[in-house]
């Protein structure tokens, strides 16, 4: 795997480390509605489909990593999460 940038102690970052840095974890903002978070998750899936079709595996990886972080880490911590209904369950499939 090619090296991209510099990591810990000057060690070159791997491509995966570099791509992971492009999808940082996001803190929950309860001002943003749960509906907006769910809409964002759907948009990320649509983007992933586009990248899959054109064969851009690096961007596909980043988008799917962002999607997974949003669905697994961010949305469940939102104060209105229990009101999300079946939409959240359908995203996890």
């Amino acid at each position: 795997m090619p090296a991209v940038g510099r990591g810990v102690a000057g060690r070159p970052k791997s491509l995966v480390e570099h791509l992971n840095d492009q999808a940082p974890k996001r803190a929950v903002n309860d001002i943003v509605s749960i509906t907006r978070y769910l809409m964002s998750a759907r948009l990320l899936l649509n983007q992933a489909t586009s990248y899959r079709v054109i064969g851009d595996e690096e961007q596909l990886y980043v988008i799917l990593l962002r999607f997974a972080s949003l669905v697994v880490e961010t949305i469940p911590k939102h104060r209105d999460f229990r009101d999300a209904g079946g939409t959240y369950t359908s995203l996890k499939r």
Side-chain angles (χ1 to χ4, degrees), residues 43-83:
L43 289 172
L44 286 169
L45 279 181
N46 290 341
Q47 278 186 298
T49 300
S50 297
Y51 286 127
R52 184 176 288 120
V53 167
I54 64 173
D56 190 340
E57 292 179 357
E58 290 177 7
Q59 286 303 311
L60 175 62
Y61 176 84
V62 170
I63 293 299
L64 289 176
L65 194 59
R66 287 178 181 167
F67 170 79
S69 176
L70 183 62
V71 171
V72 174
E73 298 169 338
T74 305
I75 291 174
K77 292 179 183 171
H78 193 281
R79 70 173 179 216
D80 296 331
F81 173 67
R82 64 191 164 280
D83 299 332

Side-chain angles (χ1 to χ4, degrees), residues 2-37:
V4 179
R6 292 284 170 193
V8 178
R11 179 183 59 83
K13 284 186 175 183
S14 71
L15 179 58
V16 171
E17 289 172 321
H18 176 71
L19 293 175
N20 286 343
D21 289 346
Q22 293 183 34
K25 295 177 183 175
R26 304 286 179 185
V28 177
N29 182 348
D30 286 326
I31 295 172
V32 176
S33 72
I34 190 79
T35 306
R36 174 73 69 171
Y37 278 117

